Amino acid sequence: MTRSPLFLSTAGAALLLGLLPRTIPAQECAVPATIAADRPGNITLPLVLSAGHVQVEVGGSRTTVGEVHATTVGSSLVRVGLSCAVELRIATGGWASLSGTGTTSSSVADFWVGTKVRLRRGSGATPHLALMTGSLVPSRTVVSHQRFEPELDLIAMWDLPRGQGLVAFTGLARRWDAGRFVGERMSAASWTFPVGPLASFAEYSEFARPGAVSRFVATGLQFFPRATVQLDASVIIPVPRAGSDASFGLGFSRRTQIGTRPHAP
C-alpha cells in the first residue's frame, strides 16, 4: 500500500519521539554555556541541540508587499535533541493575517518537519558542519504552499576571536510555484558578534528560482537574560525593494533539560 508524504513525515517524527526516552539516558553530550537559537534571520546555525534537551523558539513579524499587509504571530520551531549529533525539528509558520485592498484573511500557516545532523565539530580554522533535511507540510489554508516541499541544506560555521562567528549556508529545495514544481537554490552568509551584554548579526541571503532571484539583507540584536533564554529583535530588508517593505520581527527562545544524564562512574 502506498503511503502519503504526510503519513511518512508524521510516522517518522513519532518514531523518533518514541525512541527519545531511551536515547537520552545513554548520551553524554556537551551543552553550550549559552543558548544557541536558530533565529532571528534566514540562516540556521550548524549547532545541534544536545540529547536530553528541548528548545522552543517563538516569534512574530510584520511586513508589507504592495498594498497587502502581512502579520504573523506564533511562528514556532521546536527542537528536540535525540543524540549528541542529531536533533528533530518541528516548525510552524504560526497564525498569518493578510489585509489590504479592502479584504482581510487569516489562517494557520504551513508546518515543517525535519532533522539536523552534525557532520563535524569545529575547532580553530576547522568549521562546524551540519546537514539539515526536511519538508514543508501544507496546511491547505489560504496562506499554504499547497504541496510538500522537500529540501536539503549544508551549513558551516567558523569560530572567530572574541566570540564572533561566520556562518555559510547553502541548500536546494523543491517548491510549488504557479501550479508546478520548480527548483530553488538557497545561499546565505552571516557574521555574528557580541556587543557588550548583547549579540548582533549582519546577514545576506539569496533564493534563486528559474527566472527569479530574491535577495535580502538582515540585522538584529539578541539579549540573553539567562543562559537558557534569548530575546531578539530583527529587520529583514529585500534588495532591491521591488514593492516589498522591510519585515520586522520579535522573538523568544528557551532551552529546557528534559532528561537526566548518567553520572560518570
Side-chain angles (χ1 to χ4, degrees):
M1 181 171 59
T2 301
R3 301 294 189 182
S4 69
L6 177 58
F7 175 87
L8 295 176
S9 298
T10 305
L15 176 61
L16 289 173
L17 287 173
L19 293 174
L20 185 59
R22 69 179 61 182
T23 301
I24 292 172
Q27 300 297 329
E28 285 281 7
C29 305
V31 180
T34 304
I35 183 174
D38 282 340
R39 61 164 298 120
N42 288 328
I43 281 186
T44 297
L45 299 179
L47 305 180
V48 172
L49 188 67
S50 298
H53 293 81
V54 168
Q55 190 160 301
V56 178
E57 306 177 12
V58 183
S61 64
R62 180 172 176 82
T63 189
T64 300
V65 181
E67 298 181 0
V68 177
H69 304 285
T71 303
T72 301
V73 178
S75 57
S76 307
L77 169 64
V78 178
R79 302 166 59 188
V80 182
L82 301 179
S83 73
C84 293
V86 180
E87 69 175 46
L88 171 67
R89 301 168 64 85
I90 303 174
T92 174
W95 185 261
S97 175
L98 305 177
S99 62
T101 64
T103 62
T104 300
S105 62
S106 57
S107 60
V108 176
D110 292 328
F111 291 82
W112 193 95
V113 177
T115 58
K116 188 198 295 183
V117 179
R118 186 177 65 238
L119 302 179
R120 183 171 65 191
R121 189 187 299 276
S123 178
T126 302
H128 304 272
L129 282 179
L131 190 69
M132 188 168 68
T133 182
S135 177
L136 194 74
V137 180
S139 58
R140 307 294 184 181
T141 62
V142 295
V143 296
S144 172
H145 288 208
Q146 303 299 326
R147 296 292 189 277
F148 288 84
E149 298 183 353
E151 69 176 82
L152 180 67
D153 309 305
L154 180 64
I155 318 159
M157 184 177 77
W158 289 263
D159 292 326
L160 303 178
R162 301 180 181 179
Q164 301 176 84
L166 180 64
V167 181
F169 179 102
T170 185
L172 295 172
R174 189 176 184 229
R175 303 297 188 200
W176 182 252
D177 185 14
R180 64 189 179 95
F181 278 108
V182 298
E184 181 178 74
R185 176 181 53 81
M186 302 164 287
S187 55
S190 178
W191 172 44
T192 60
F193 50 95
V195 184
L198 308 173
S200 186
F201 74 97
E203 176 188 285
Y204 171 82
S205 57
E206 182 177 294
F207 303 84
R209 301 183 183 185
V213 180
S214 300
R215 299 180 176 91
F216 303 88
V217 293
T219 188
L221 287 174
Q222 299 149 288
F223 173 57
F224 305 95
R226 296 203 299 272
T228 57
V229 174
Q230 171 188 294
L231 306 177
D232 62 74
S234 62
V235 57
I236 301 176
I237 305 170
V239 181
R241 300 286 289 274
S244 298
D245 288 341
S247 174
F248 298 91
L250 296 172
F252 168 85
S253 304
R254 178 167 182 169
R255 184 182 71 201
T256 304
Q257 185 172 343
I258 60 172
T260 303
R261 295 197 215 165
H263 296 286

